[in-house]
Amino acid sequence: TRYWRDWSSDVCSSDLAEDSRVAIRNIRRTAKEAMEKLEKDGKISKDDLARAEKEMEKTTSDHVSKIDDMLKHKEAELLEV
């Protein structure tokens, strides 16, 4: 029914997408902590750290955008009659 499609597109898809975004941010945080430890230990330079953080932020943004695109596509698919 229409009600079920509306509910499932709002609740199920958006919850899964948010869980995915949180997982990506957790991975980013763990990687950033590891890189900061490497910099603190003198194994990489501040420039290398800044470059890696910039690349990691770009990668994170790209993946979050992909999740958002998939969510929009799935919502449209569920609302199709």
Side-chain angles (χ1 to χ4, degrees):
T1 65
R2 176 78 180 175
Y3 173 77
W4 184 86
R5 286 192 304 265
D6 290 343
W7 176 82
S8 64
S9 69
D10 290 345
V11 176
C12 298
S13 299
S14 60
D15 286 349
L16 183 59
E18 185 57 30
D19 289 347
S20 299
R21 288 185 206 102
V22 169
I24 289 171
R25 290 192 296 264
N26 288 339
I27 293 167
R28 177 186 61 192
R29 183 181 62 243
T30 302
K32 184 175 179 180
E33 290 169 355
M35 289 187 302
E36 288 172 347
K37 183 175 180 344
L38 288 172
E39 192 268 329
K40 182 181 176 187
D41 294 343
K43 295 182 180 181
I44 62 173
S45 68
K46 286 186 185 267
D47 289 341
D48 289 338
L49 176 63
R51 193 174 313 116
E53 286 178 343
K54 184 177 178 183
E55 181 65 30
M56 188 171 41
E57 191 61 39
K58 181 184 179 299
T59 302
T60 300
S61 296
D62 290 346
H63 282 82
V64 168
S65 294
K66 288 179 184 178
I67 290 169
D68 292 339
D69 291 344
M70 286 189 276
L71 176 63
K72 287 177 190 172
H73 176 72
K74 188 63 175 178
E75 285 175 343
E77 184 180 295
L78 288 172
L79 293 176
E80 249 178 40
V81 175

